[in-house]
Amino acid sequence: MSVNLRSVFAFAKEYHQKKESQKDIQYGTAGFRSHADNLDYVMYRMGVLAALRSRAKASQAIGVMITASHNPEHDNGVKLIDPLGEMLEQRWEKLATDLVNVPDGELEAEVARICEQEKIDNNEQAKVFVGMDTRYHSPQLSRAVVNGVLALKGTVTEFGIVTTPMLHYFVTCTNTQNAYGLPTEEGYMNKLITAFKTLRGDSTENGNYKNQLFYDGANGVGSLKMLGFIKKLNGSLNVKVFNSNGKINFKCGADFVKTNHRVPEALPEDALPNGRCVSVDGDADRVVYYFTDSDGVFHLLDGDRIATLLAGYLKDLIEKCGVKLEMGLVQTAYANGASTDYIVNQMKIPVSCTRTGVKHLHHKALDYDIGVYFEANGHGTIIYSNKAKDAIRAASKDETISEEQRETAKRLLQMIDLTNETVGDAISDLLLVETVLHAKGWSLNDWLASYTDLPNLLEKVYLADRNVITVTDADRVVVTPEGLQDSINEIVAKFPKGRSFVRPSGTEDIVRVYAEADTRANAVQLAYEVANLVFDKAGGVGKRPEKMEI
């Protein structure tokens, strides 16, 4: 096989031109993301890069997922998946940014530079998997990715409409020679459902746990795939799907519920009051729970709550079967202070804090035998080391320990199978939560009672250029503009249990302001003052931030 790099440039010039007016973009926390109209040339070049990455990784499969996750319908995006389901290696993020931003006339030379720098042999096979979400422009953008792979004579497997976690799973299965599972939609569903049914047993209800879940699919791929799961679950979990055929993420989905602290539109009437409700996002890698009580008060159980629920249950199982393993929980600065206090002082589980972005949490979680990581937005999973898996498997067969200990170890093995370790997976995480709630006999109210969150909220401030704000210390301290952090500290000091930080978005020219305090009124006032400070000192544009309702 001989690859002529000139064909990469020629094809781009003919079909996937980059206009001179198009701004440079960066490979952020979740790849490239922008208005769909701006992404055709980006997709083509990411197809090229995926083929190069496959060759650089000894012809292992590389995934390309076309999605803008929780963004509005007019946006789209693309990100690469490395051989074991990880996010793209950070060094290659810069290569991606450089490749996407060169003019068409320099594309051939830039590809040649990457080949030389990474010692890539273009005579080797390149294998690329492509998946997409349900946005109406995804098929067209998928075609651009495929063209990029074919320009370098790579081979493409198109999976069509899938959740982001499913594509991560397919890539991992293929590159482990099916040791992780079968790289098909059927294989993915069967692995999770078999483990779930085994863990649940014959009884579908227990104590305060009722077999009814209301599922907001964000009008995205998560709604389609859940409908398929329902058929295979066959009543072991009753799920009522809503928001399955409207505008993606519009007034629904995990991000809407988390940010606005209220139920999504189209919530079924029979979910009120006290119905167990769950929302995923547009590509089904985030999940949050919530309910409205008999007094009409909304209660959110977000990623922090999911992390504590799962970690606490796993800790109990590990102690019960007698296996000696180190478990840790990884959070970001967005984690509620009350959850961190509860994990450290009540659950006695060590906590690490990293920068925002699943790739940072995932990397830190690898430091533990069992690493539980979740962002407050509901994106996360559990990682089990080979040491942990081997120890649990050995315990399940150890005749020198009690039968109860062996059965507990077998239950842990099923928990491992129910977990999509490759990435945060809304459906896998949902089934894990349902398993633990069922085992404990808990309603959402019981779960909520484990600790009391500090009131908190998230504000957006629009800036002319988000890059004027730089941060350090896991996103908790502002470096520039100079003096801004000192001013934030002065405001925070006025509020009991006050905490606030600002962080530039990875995908749009906004800064997110997080605030928490002892009361809702104080959290609202703190967010309002910090947001206006950022607007004044960092080049705010448009409407000045207003105070949220208390």
Side-chain angles (χ1 to χ4, degrees):
M1 177 180 64
S2 176
V3 175
N4 180 0
L5 295 186
R6 193 166 300 165
S7 67
V8 174
F9 161 66
F11 209 86
K13 187 177 180 183
E14 182 73 22
Y15 298 106
H16 304 288
Q17 289 185 7
K18 179 186 178 186
K19 300 182 182 71
E20 290 183 10
S21 60
Q22 286 175 310
K23 293 180 181 178
D24 283 2
I25 59 175
Q26 289 185 315
Y27 195 103
T29 303
F32 295 112
R33 205 173 286 180
S34 182
H35 193 288
D37 292 347
N38 302 326
L39 287 173
D40 180 81
Y41 77 96
V42 174
M43 297 289 179
Y44 174 76
R45 295 176 185 207
M46 286 292 275
V48 169
L49 191 76
L52 295 176
R53 181 66 174 162
S54 176
R55 288 183 175 126
K57 300 299 285 184
S59 297
Q60 294 185 92
I62 297 295
V64 181
M65 185 66 198
I66 299 157
T67 182
S69 188
H70 57 279
N71 278 36
E73 186 176 53
H74 57 69
D75 286 347
N76 216 319
V78 58
K79 54 188 170 186
L80 264 61
I81 299 168
D82 260 354
L84 292 180
E86 324 97 310
M87 302 293 188
L88 181 64
E89 182 185 328
Q90 205 158 351
R91 190 169 56 83
W92 274 68
E93 290 180 7
K94 184 179 184 309
L95 296 182
T97 299
D98 291 345
L99 182 66
V100 160
N101 290 324
V102 297
D104 282 343
E106 298 174 23
L107 181 59
E108 180 185 341
E110 183 63 22
V111 172
R113 185 187 71 80
I114 293 171
C115 291
E116 182 177 2
Q117 177 184 314
E118 301 299 320
K119 298 180 173 58
I120 294 169
D121 181 358
N122 274 312
N123 291 312
E124 295 295 323
Q125 183 185 10
K127 189 187 303 179
V128 179
F129 289 178
V130 180
M132 61 183 174
D133 69 15
T134 55
R135 293 163 204 267
Y136 65 89
H137 29 68
S138 289
Q140 175 188 344
L141 296 175
S142 176
R143 179 48 46 192
V145 171
V146 170
N147 285 346
V149 178
L150 296 178
L152 275 182
K153 296 192 176 178
T155 60
V156 182
T157 303
E158 295 184 74
F159 285 92
I161 294 174
V162 292
T163 69
T164 294
M166 287 170 69
L167 192 66
H168 281 258
Y169 171 87
F170 299 152
V171 168
T172 307
C173 291
T174 298
N175 291 325
T176 58
Q177 289 72 51
N178 298 349
Y180 191 68
L182 296 176
T184 64
E185 188 164 330
E186 189 81 2
Y188 165 83
M189 293 174 71
N190 286 342
K191 181 181 179 182
L192 296 185
I193 288 170
T194 300
F196 178 75
K197 286 183 174 180
T198 303
L199 285 162
R200 174 153 291 211
D202 296 331
S203 171
T204 58
E205 300 201 345
N206 182 31
N208 292 332
Y209 178 88
K210 304 304 177 191
N211 186 21
Q212 182 62 65
L213 181 68
F214 298 91
Y215 177 96
D216 162 26
N219 295 317
V221 62
S223 60
L224 296 179
K225 301 309 176 187
M226 179 50 72
L227 291 170
F229 266 87
I230 290 170
K231 291 177 183 176
K232 287 180 173 288
L233 285 164
N234 198 28
S236 59
L237 178 63
N238 291 330
V239 184
K240 188 170 189 175
V241 175
F242 64 104
N243 288 327
S244 60
N245 57 5
K247 186 181 288 188
I248 193 168
N249 297 319
F250 183 67
K251 295 186 177 180
C252 62
D255 190 59
F256 174 85
V257 172
K258 168 68 176 168
T259 303
N260 294 283
H261 279 254
R262 66 184 180 91
V263 300
E265 289 202 342
L267 183 73
E269 287 185 12
D270 52 340
L272 301 173
N274 297 313
R276 192 168 69 255
C277 305
V278 66
S279 287
V280 304
D281 64 337
D283 67 333
D285 63 3
R286 295 183 181 189
V287 61
V288 295
Y289 276 75
Y290 50 94
F291 70 100
T292 303
D293 66 24
S294 301
D295 297 322
V297 178
F298 173 82
H299 300 278
L300 176 70
L301 298 106
D302 60 10
D304 297 338
R305 293 274 179 183
I306 294 171
T308 58
L309 179 76
L310 300 183
Y313 185 67
L314 287 172
K315 186 185 181 196
D316 289 345
L317 292 182
I318 291 164
E319 290 175 351
K320 195 172 177 181
C321 76
V323 179
K324 302 296 182 188
L325 296 170
E326 183 188 8
M327 184 165 68
L329 204 149
V330 187
Q331 297 182 317
T332 71
Y334 288 110
N336 193 281
S339 75
T340 309
D341 180 71
Y342 175 73
I343 296 160
V344 173
N345 296 314
Q346 299 296 318
M347 300 174 69
K348 306 298 183 185
I349 295 174
V351 172
S352 299
C353 185
T354 72
R355 290 176 59 197
T356 300
V358 168
K359 62 189 175 188
H360 302 298
L361 287 94
H362 191 96
H363 181 74
K364 185 63 182 175
L366 293 170
D367 290 347
Y368 300 102
D369 296 327
I370 299 177
V372 181
Y373 71 82
F374 274 85
E375 294 184 293
N377 62 27
H379 196 178
T381 191
I382 307 162
I383 303 176
Y384 298 85
S385 68
N386 287 331
K387 172 189 170 183
K389 291 175 182 175
D390 290 344
I392 294 167
R393 197 173 291 112
S396 73
K397 302 173 183 176
D398 188 350
E399 295 292 335
T400 67
I401 62 177
S402 70
E403 183 180 353
E404 183 184 21
Q405 287 176 307
R406 288 196 300 274
E407 290 303 313
T408 302
K410 290 175 184 175
R411 190 166 182 85
L412 272 169
L413 290 175
Q414 294 297 333
M415 290 289 285
I416 294 171
D417 272 351
L418 189 53
T419 306
N420 187 346
E421 296 179 72
T422 66
V423 71
D425 182 337
I427 294 176
S428 165
D429 291 339
L430 175 158
L431 294 173
L432 285 165
V433 169
E434 293 296 317
T435 296
V436 177
L437 293 178
H438 174 264
K440 288 178 173 287
W442 277 8
S443 67
L444 291 192
N445 218 4
D446 297 324
W447 180 10
L448 189 69
S450 55
Y451 65 87
T452 303
D453 274 326
L454 288 169
N456 64 93
L457 65 153
L458 203 56
E459 268 277 22
K460 290 181 182 179
V461 181
Y462 289 84
L463 303 182
D465 179 9
R466 69 180 183 271
N467 295 313
V468 301
I469 290 189
T470 58
V471 293
T472 188
D473 188 21
D475 298 334
R476 293 175 288 191
V477 176
V478 174
V479 177
T480 61
E482 192 173 343
L484 178 56
Q485 185 61 52
D486 291 337
S487 299
I488 292 172
N489 293 342
E490 289 175 12
I491 294 173
V492 168
K494 299 188 299 182
F495 298 91
K497 296 188 178 178
R499 184 167 73 94
S500 183
F501 64 91
V502 302
R503 171 184 166 268
S505 165
T507 56
E508 47 189 331
D509 279 324
I510 62 170
V511 166
R512 303 185 194 280
V513 175
Y514 177 87
E516 68 180 33
D518 61 333
T519 65
R520 172 74 178 173
N522 279 342
V524 167
Q525 183 65 28
L526 174 56
Y528 172 72
E529 292 187 26
V530 173
N532 276 277
L533 174 71
V534 171
F535 188 89
D536 290 334
K537 291 204 168 189
V541 295
K543 196 175 181 182
R544 177 176 285 278
E546 296 178 348
K547 190 185 291 189
M548 281 192 181
E549 291 183 14
I550 295 175

